[in-house]
């Protein structure tokens, strides 16, 4: 028994080791000239590859084996703290064709750790002459159409489509891959690609040049994923997947010691491909079909089953799977009395490959009355593209118990009925009014002007009280203030006497002017003319005016002692002089 | 030159009168639409007047009524609030606001239960900013008259009564000034908002990944405390705070 166990263990270990080994074979080109050399490589890779001697090739009739070389490389990586290693051993054979035509490198059988591996056969076309690149042309820009077939073999774009026969809205992944065996210096997209007839979601766009090795048609290439998109057909029939255009700068090999190398630009694009889009069948289409296409799973759940009136809870419906998650409508909810469903919050999370993801629909539900309720099953129908038929998913019904509650937010169950009671709820609309913008007084200039005017009362009242005090206490000041008033009175009287041609005019003028000047000059009333003149001189009154005053007083004196008086003309002239003089005196600040 | 100026002033007056007449026409049309129970058309016309830049409590009140009739409780509350912002003593708007608040999902009261605070709020809300402006001006006038009298009449007399009365009035004036400042800030504040979407979830942080704090419903009035991208930190009247999405509410402010 023990022996049997050991044997099984040994066999398993051996199997494990053998399983980890991968064999690949490829050539550097599968179209060569009769004068060219061909490199055929066998690559053995795996976690634990033993160091074996170069496999011996069988006898070829069509090729001459010129020599063998071998190389090995190790690659260590640590993922999530786990170290893994990969050893790659390459055995290259240089072969020379012996004639033209189509030949086959036959499958090579290898035995590693007692396990046999066989490589795939490789077809080789041998033509006359050489397929080595021609000398470079003078221009440093060549398009794909005029380049040599060598460039076309070594640099091209390919499109990979995940599925070529699909249903309307069924997503496909389209990968644009660049294959190259040249030294690429730079890459750039040439123009936009217009995906007509599709709803497009970008899956991948490279940020830097990143090549991986891949064997395509028995030839080893450096391959870079240039663009990956998820396309959702929006039309039926034959739809074309458009080409991607690239500008690629290739480093040229230096031809001699002084040639430091140069780059040459090539414009390439892939051949367009087509896919066939079928319509979703109308036969047996369920009524609750919401345009979902793909393959989905449905789950649902609620945040709380034990509730109080007025409480809100969330019903979450999750649809996961592959398909047009962003494009279909949400499943309809059944109506339940006394449960108020609010508009749902919908969020869609899409995985990196875009076809798969999760659509979450959250309904906020408010319990309006106490009681036991059942949230019925929710159905979701989609078109299953694998089974070519409609499929309906169902959630389980959910039981709810709503108790009486006194939460801070109390629901008002009869809200709608109150709204409909016309006139008894809100006040009537305001009519017969002129609608004018109600401006703020604080923003009005007039308002602040009134404030300022009111404020001015304070200095005004102060000045007024000062004036009043002065009038009360200072008799000279009172005389000064009232002098003009008194003079006016006298002059009015004088004016009447002039018209009547009475000699009393001179007496009035003498009294009036004398009193005015005495009051103004703070001299006692009845002062002599000389005293007044002296005081006027002290006030620096102009001499001309002084003379006029003196003349008036003298004339008045004369008139008093003149029995016949003056003629009417003389009186009028004197009145004019008096008026002019008074005007001048008023102008002087006495 | 004088004639030209006169013509200009005349033209300006005529054009403004025509503008006001047009607004009155639209207003009357809106009223008849409302009376014919065509609330949507009435609302359209009232909003047209509002878009002319008219700030009027009656207009806001009527818009609020239209929204109420159209079953949009949140917006009706928003407009009653606006009407009261323009004219705090608009009794019809206050009554309708109270009614609208009474039928929102979340229980809300305008006045608090604290007697002193309730009295203060009542007094504060019953005075509009313009009435307050006139009151302040009148008190200022009285103070100026009293000061003038003291300068003019009572300066040399030993009488404490005028001084006491003046100090009393100055005290009232200072209180009025403070109320003015508070009212002015309230008038220009953009903190208060009304929830317009049927419901909103309050989270403990600005994002749906945070813990849910509360659920509020259309028509609830709250204050905005902070903004962060498309989220706002709000404070409910009951003291509860949380982050809600910005597109669920509208701030009580003039357009």
């Amino acid at each position: 028994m023990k022996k049997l166990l050991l044997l099984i263990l040994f066999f398993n270990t051996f199997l494990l080791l053998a399983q980890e080994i991968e064999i690949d074979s490829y050539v550097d080109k599968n179209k060569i000239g009769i004068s060219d050399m061909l490199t055929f490589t066998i690559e053995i890779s795996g976690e634990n590859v033993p160091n074996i001697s170069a496999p011996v090739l069988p006898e070829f009739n069509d090729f001459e084996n010129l020599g063998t070389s071998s190389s090995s490389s190790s690659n260590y990586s640590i993922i999530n703290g786990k170290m893994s290693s990969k050893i790659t051993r390459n055995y290259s054979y240089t072969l020379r064709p012996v004639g033209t035509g189509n030949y086959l490198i036959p499958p090579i059988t290898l035995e590693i750790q007692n396990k046999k591996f066989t490589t795939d056969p490789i077809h080789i076309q041998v033509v006359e002459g050489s397929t080595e690149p021609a000398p470079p042309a003078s221009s440093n820009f060549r398009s794909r159409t005029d380049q040599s077939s060598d460039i076309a073999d070594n640099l091209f774009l390919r499109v990979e489509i995940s599925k070529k026969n699909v249903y309307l809205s069924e997503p496909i992944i389209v990968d644009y891959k660049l294959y190259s065996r040249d030294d690429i210096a730079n890459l750039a997209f040439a123009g936009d690609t217009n995906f007509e007839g599709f709803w497009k979601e970008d899956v991948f766009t490279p940020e830097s040049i990143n090549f991986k090795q891949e064997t395509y048609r028995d030839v080893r290439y450096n391959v870079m994923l240039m663009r990956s998109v998820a396309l959702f057909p929006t039309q039926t029939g034959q739809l074309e997947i458009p080409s991607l255009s690239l500008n690629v700068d290739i480093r040229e090999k230096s031809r001699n010691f002084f040639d430091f190398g140069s780059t040459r630009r090539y414009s390439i694009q892939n051949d367009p491909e087509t896919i066939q889009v079928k319509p979703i069948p109308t036969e047996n289409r369920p009524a609750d079909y919401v345009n979902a296409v793909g393959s989905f799973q449905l789950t649902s759940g609620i945040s709380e089953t034990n509730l109080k009136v007025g409480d809100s809870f969330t019903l979450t419906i999750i649809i996961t799977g592959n398909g047009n998650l962003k494009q279909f409508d949400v499943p309809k909810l059944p109506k339940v009395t006394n449960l108020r469903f609010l508009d749902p919050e919908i969020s869609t999370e899409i995985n990196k490959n875009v076809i798969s993801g999760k659509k979450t629909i959250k309904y906020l539900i408010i319990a309006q009355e106490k009681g036991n309720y059942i949230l019925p099953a929710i159905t979701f129908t989609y078109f299953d593209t694998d089974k070519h038929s409609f499929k309906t998913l169902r959630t389980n019904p959910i039981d709810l118990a709503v108790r009486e509650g006194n939460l801070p937010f109390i629901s008002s169950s009869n809200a709608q009925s109150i709204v409909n009671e016309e006139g008894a709820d809100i006040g009537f609309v305001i009519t017969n009014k002129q609608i004018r913008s109600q401006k703020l007084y604080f923003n009005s200039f007039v308002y602040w002007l009134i404030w300022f005017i009111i404020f001015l009362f304070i200095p005004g009242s102060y000045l007024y009280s000062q004036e009043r005090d002065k009038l009360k206490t200072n008799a000279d000041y009172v005389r000064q203030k009232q002098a003009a008033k008194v003079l006016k009175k006298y002059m009015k009287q004088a004016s009447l006497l002039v018209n009547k041609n009475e000699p009393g005019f001179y007496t009035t003028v003498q009294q009036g002017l004398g009193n005015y000047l005495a009051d103004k000059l703070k001299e006692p009333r009845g002062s002599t003319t000389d005293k007044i003149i002296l005081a006027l001189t002290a006030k620096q009154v102009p001499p001309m005016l002084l003379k006029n005053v003196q003349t008036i007083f003298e004339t008045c004196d004369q008139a008093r002692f003149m029995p016949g008086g003056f003629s009417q003309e003389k009186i009028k002239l004197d009145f004019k002089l008096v008026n002019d003089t008074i005007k001048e005196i008023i102008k002087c600040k006495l | 030159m004088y004639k030209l100026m006169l013509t200009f002033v005349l033209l300006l007056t005529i054009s403004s009168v025509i503008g006001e007449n047009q607004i009155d026409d639209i207003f009357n049309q809106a009223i008849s639409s409302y009376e014919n129970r065509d609330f949507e058309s009435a609302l359209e016309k009232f909003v047209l007047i509002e878009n002319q830049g008219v700030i009027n409590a009656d207009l806001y009140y009527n818009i609020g009524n239209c929204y109420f009739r159209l079953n949009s409780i949140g917006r009706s509350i928003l407009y009653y609030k606006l009407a009261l912002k323009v004219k705090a003593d608009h009794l019809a708007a206050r009554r309708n606001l109270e009614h609208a608040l009474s039928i929102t999902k979340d229980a809300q009261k305008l006045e608090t239960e604290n007697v002193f605070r309730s009295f203060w709020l009542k007094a504060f809300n019953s005075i509009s900013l313009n009435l307050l402006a006139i009151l302040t001006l009148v008190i200022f006038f009285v103070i100026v008259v009293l000061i003038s009298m003291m300068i003019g009449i009572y300066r040399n007399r030993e009488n404490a009564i005028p001084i006491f009365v003046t100090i009393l009035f100055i005290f009232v004036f200072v209180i009025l000034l403070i109320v003015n400042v508070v009212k002015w800030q309230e008038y220009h504040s953009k903190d208060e908002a009304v929830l317009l979407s049927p419901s909103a979830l309050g989270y403990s942080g600005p994002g749906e990944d945070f813990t849910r704090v509360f659920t509020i419903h259309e028509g609830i009035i709250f204050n905005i405390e902070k903004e962060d991208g498309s989220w706002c930190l709000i404070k409910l009247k009951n003291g509860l705070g949380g982050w809600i999405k910005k597109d669920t509410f509208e701030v009580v402010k003039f357009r």
Side-chain angles (χ1 to χ4, degrees):
Chain A
M1 187 66 188
K2 269 187 179 177
K3 275 183 182 175
L4 186 74
L5 270 173
L6 271 172
L7 199 74
I8 292 169
L9 200 71
F10 176 76
F11 183 74
N12 275 350
T13 316
F14 188 74
L15 205 69
L16 205 69
L17 280 172
Q19 270 177 351
E20 287 166 355
I21 291 172
E22 285 175 12
I23 302 276
D24 194 10
S25 68
Y26 49 86
V27 288
D28 61 340
K29 47 200 162 189
N30 42 20
K31 187 182 176 187
I32 55 167
I34 186 85
S35 56
D36 296 335
M37 303 287 183
L38 176 76
T39 308
F40 170 65
T41 309
I42 297 171
E43 187 179 286
I44 306 165
S45 60
E47 209 172 300
N48 196 4
V49 180
N51 195 0
I52 56 165
S53 56
V56 181
L57 294 185
E59 280 295 318
F60 295 144
N61 295 329
D62 312 320
F63 296 98
E64 189 185 342
N65 188 353
L66 297 182
T68 312
S69 66
S70 67
S71 65
S72 71
S73 64
S74 303
N75 182 22
Y76 294 93
S77 59
I78 299 170
I79 298 164
N80 294 334
K82 227 179 167 184
M83 196 175 82
S84 63
S85 64
K86 190 180 178 188
I87 300 166
T88 308
R89 296 187 195 284
N90 287 322
Y91 301 96
S92 301
Y93 305 87
T94 310
L95 306 176
R96 189 164 69 189
V98 292
T100 58
N102 288 324
Y103 299 111
L104 191 79
I105 297 175
I108 314 289
T109 305
L110 300 174
E111 195 174 319
I112 303 163
Q113 291 170 337
N114 298 326
K115 173 94 182 158
K116 283 189 175 175
F117 297 91
T118 308
T119 64
D120 294 328
I122 297 171
H123 293 272
I124 305 290
Q125 189 189 1
V126 184
V127 295
E128 287 291 344
S130 171
T131 57
E132 288 296 310
S138 55
S139 157
N140 67 346
F141 181 86
R142 275 201 267 176
S143 79
R144 165 87 187 264
T145 46
D146 63 69
Q147 73 195 34
S148 71
S149 63
D150 179 71
I151 287 295
D153 288 342
N154 288 340
L155 181 73
F156 56 90
L157 261 174
R158 249 188 88 230
V159 61
E160 280 180 8
I161 301 165
S162 62
K163 206 171 173 186
K164 287 197 170 183
N165 195 353
V166 292
Y167 283 98
L168 190 73
S169 296
E170 184 184 351
I172 53 165
I173 292 279
V174 175
D175 290 339
Y176 291 95
K177 284 179 168 178
L178 174 68
Y179 287 75
S180 168
R181 300 183 67 207
D182 293 312
D183 189 4
I184 290 175
N186 202 10
L187 278 173
F189 289 108
D192 280 342
T193 312
N194 187 18
F195 296 92
E196 214 176 300
F198 296 97
W199 167 274
K200 182 204 81 185
E201 292 276 348
D202 280 311
V203 178
F204 174 79
T205 312
E207 285 166 3
S208 59
I209 294 178
N210 184 17
F211 281 100
K212 281 177 183 168
Q213 290 220 320
E214 206 178 295
T215 308
Y216 174 65
R217 286 184 185 162
D218 306 325
V219 181
R220 199 73 163 167
Y221 288 96
N222 291 322
V223 180
M224 178 175 166
L225 181 60
M226 293 309 299
R227 196 173 178 188
S228 184
V229 287
L231 299 178
F232 302 81
T234 54
Q235 294 170 9
T236 53
Q238 203 169 43
L239 295 183
E240 188 179 281
I241 307 286
S243 308
L244 185 76
S245 298
L246 285 180
N247 287 332
V248 188
D249 294 337
I250 302 282
R251 268 190 209 98
E252 300 248 300
K253 284 174 191 162
S254 55
R255 289 180 299 277
N256 54 50
F257 181 77
F258 297 103
D259 181 8
F260 297 106
S262 60
T263 60
R264 190 175 292 272
R265 175 163 290 186
Y266 294 96
S267 179
I268 58 167
Q269 65 173 45
N270 64 291
D271 298 326
E273 296 260 358
T274 53
I275 62 160
Q276 192 64 38
V277 182
K278 295 177 281 185
I280 303 289
T282 45
E283 269 177 46
N284 305 323
R285 185 185 285 191
D288 62 344
Y289 174 61
V290 286
N291 296 325
V293 177
S295 161
F296 301 100
Q297 292 85 46
L298 177 71
T299 52
S300 74
I302 61 166
S303 55
E304 191 74 56
T305 50
N306 199 0
L307 299 153
K308 289 177 188 165
V309 171
D311 265 1
S312 55
F313 62 97
T314 314
L315 169 68
T316 311
I317 301 166
I318 300 170
I319 300 167
T320 49
N322 305 329
N324 58 342
L325 278 160
K326 275 192 176 175
Q327 278 131 40
F328 59 79
D329 300 328
V330 294
K332 278 177 189 156
L333 274 189
K335 277 191 179 174
V336 184
T337 9
N338 293 327
L339 289 184
R340 191 177 164 198
F341 293 79
L342 302 178
D343 290 340
E345 283 180 30
I346 305 162
S347 61
T348 312
E349 292 166 38
I350 301 289
N351 295 339
K352 272 191 173 176
N353 62 12
V354 169
I355 290 177
S356 71
K358 185 166 91 169
K359 193 178 191 113
T360 311
I361 304 143
K362 283 182 183 171
Y363 283 96
L364 191 76
I365 306 171
I366 303 157
Q368 291 179 318
E369 290 289 333
K370 68 170 187 175
N372 292 322
Y373 302 99
I374 297 170
L375 268 180
I378 296 153
T379 58
F380 169 64
T381 301
Y382 68 94
F383 185 75
D384 194 322
T385 48
D386 295 332
K387 291 174 183 160
H388 309 285
S389 63
F390 292 100
K391 200 171 172 186
T392 301
L393 302 174
R394 250 171 250 280
T395 62
N396 293 324
I398 300 165
D399 292 323
L400 283 175
V402 180
R403 287 179 288 122
E404 197 116 27
N406 52 351
L407 285 171
F409 302 137
I410 300 158
S411 84
S412 103
S413 52
N414 54 350
Q416 297 303 315
S417 63
I418 289 173
V419 173
N420 292 330
E421 271 177 43
E422 180 59 30
D425 48 4
I426 54 166
F428 293 104
V429 74
I430 293 174
T431 56
N432 303 325
K433 276 249 179 181
Q434 280 193 327
I435 291 298
R436 300 283 174 269
S437 234
Q438 285 164 336
K439 282 173 189 159
L440 286 185
Y441 294 152
F442 284 127
N443 291 335
S444 148
F445 171 74
V446 177
Y447 179 76
W448 293 110
L449 188 71
I450 295 169
W451 272 81
F452 182 69
I453 292 167
I454 293 173
F455 180 76
L456 285 181
F457 276 35
I458 296 173
S461 65
Y462 174 75
L463 291 176
Y464 171 74
S465 70
Q466 289 285 317
E467 179 74 11
R468 208 182 48 186
D469 286 358
K470 236 180 182 177
L471 287 171
K472 267 184 188 171
T473 53
N474 195 338
D476 284 345
Y477 179 72
V478 178
R479 276 173 60 206
Q480 261 190 333
K481 285 293 269 187
Q482 291 177 346
K485 212 171 155 186
V486 174
L487 178 66
K488 211 176 165 186
K489 200 172 130 194
Y490 275 105
M491 288 312 292
K492 204 176 169 185
Q493 208 181 341
S495 157
L496 289 171
L497 292 170
V498 168
N499 292 338
K500 288 178 186 170
N501 197 23
E502 281 189 28
F505 159 74
Y506 289 103
T507 321
T508 312
V509 167
Q510 195 174 29
Q511 275 181 355
L513 191 62
N515 286 349
Y516 173 76
L517 288 172
D519 289 351
K520 277 279 176 195
L521 296 166
K522 295 179 188 171
E523 294 290 336
R525 280 194 181 177
S527 298
T528 58
T529 312
D530 292 345
K531 208 171 178 185
I532 288 170
I533 296 294
L534 208 67
L536 281 174
T537 316
K539 289 275 179 186
Q540 291 177 339
V541 174
M544 191 65 194
L545 186 64
L546 212 59
K547 201 183 166 191
N548 284 348
V549 173
Q550 208 164 6
T551 312
I552 290 167
F553 279 126
E554 279 170 10
T555 315
C556 289
D557 279 342
Q558 278 176 11
R560 275 207 337 222
F561 303 106
M562 197 174 273
F566 290 110
S567 67
Q568 195 176 1
E569 278 176 19
K570 169 78 174 149
I571 290 174
K572 276 187 180 170
L573 269 173
D574 286 340
F575 182 61
K576 193 177 177 293
L577 179 72
V578 169
N579 266 335
D580 292 346
T581 309
I582 286 171
K583 273 180 196 164
E584 288 297 313
I585 286 172
I586 288 169
K587 277 182 195 170
C588 295
K589 284 184 180 174
L590 295 176
Chain B
M1 186 65 191
Y2 177 73
K3 273 186 181 174
L4 197 77
M5 268 176 71
L6 199 74
T7 322
F8 179 72
V9 169
L10 209 69
L11 276 174
L12 209 73
T13 317
I14 290 169
S15 69
S16 75
V17 167
I18 288 171
E20 284 173 352
N21 284 342
Q22 268 181 351
I23 285 174
D24 289 343
D25 283 348
I26 300 169
F27 186 73
N28 289 330
Q29 284 170 24
I31 295 291
S32 41
S33 297
Y34 188 93
E35 281 166 352
N36 293 328
R37 303 187 64 79
D38 184 0
F39 303 121
E40 273 178 27
S41 162
L43 177 68
E44 220 170 75
K45 284 161 194 159
F46 283 134
V47 170
L48 192 71
I49 300 172
E50 190 201 1
N51 289 342
Q52 301 284 315
V54 175
I55 294 176
N56 183 291
D58 292 339
L59 177 71
Y60 291 136
Y61 168 83
N62 284 353
I63 295 176
N65 276 8
C66 287
Y67 276 122
F68 189 89
R69 288 277 171 254
L70 292 167
N71 227 348
S72 185
I73 304 295
R75 283 201 181 273
S76 71
I77 289 171
L78 179 78
Y79 276 91
Y80 292 142
K81 287 290 286 182
L82 277 174
L84 289 171
K85 203 169 190 175
V86 179
K87 202 164 177 276
D89 51 350
H90 199 294
L91 290 176
R94 182 158 298 277
R95 204 181 75 83
N96 282 8
L97 176 64
E98 275 171 12
H99 181 76
L101 289 181
S102 73
I103 60 164
T104 53
K105 294 285 164 208
D106 305 325
Q108 299 181 74
K109 276 184 183 173
L110 279 183
E111 267 80 38
T112 56
E113 274 146 29
N114 180 325
V115 180
F116 179 74
R117 197 173 148 72
S118 166
F119 173 75
W120 160 250
L121 277 176
K122 236 177 199 169
F124 182 77
N125 288 331
S126 60
I127 301 174
S128 71
L129 198 54
N130 276 354
L131 185 65
L132 207 59
I134 291 172
L135 260 177
T136 317
L137 188 66
V138 168
I139 298 290
F140 179 67
F141 178 74
V142 172
I143 290 169
V144 166
V145 168
L146 283 169
I147 291 173
S148 303
M149 277 168 70
M150 284 201 310
I151 292 169
I153 303 166
Y154 302 107
R155 193 170 38 150
N156 300 322
R157 295 183 198 175
E158 284 182 5
N159 195 342
I161 295 169
I163 298 169
F164 175 74
V165 173
T166 311
I167 288 171
L168 201 73
F169 271 96
I170 288 174
F171 180 69
V172 173
F173 181 71
V174 169
I175 289 174
L176 278 177
L177 275 186
I178 293 167
V179 177
N180 263 311
V181 170
V182 176
K183 270 260 173 200
W184 175 264
Q185 279 175 347
E186 192 197 66
Y187 187 87
H188 288 96
S189 82
K190 288 168 188 171
D191 295 343
E192 209 169 34
V194 179
L195 192 77
L196 298 183
S197 66
S199 72
L201 294 168
Y203 295 90
S204 62
E208 283 171 343
D209 302 333
F210 290 92
T211 324
R212 271 192 203 177
V213 184
F214 54 74
T215 307
I216 48 173
H217 304 100
E218 186 179 359
I220 193 166
I221 302 168
F222 50 80
N223 285 329
I224 300 162
E225 306 252 298
K226 216 198 274 181
E227 279 187 41
D228 187 352
S230 60
W231 292 81
C232 271
L233 175 64
I234 63 155
K235 196 174 176 190
L236 301 175
K237 300 282 178 199
N238 65 1
L240 218 54
W243 291 84
I244 65 166
K245 278 186 182 168
K246 238 186 205 174
D247 54 4
T248 54
F249 62 84
E250 203 166 306
V251 177
V252 184
K253 63 167 186 190
F254 307 117
R255 281 190 192 174

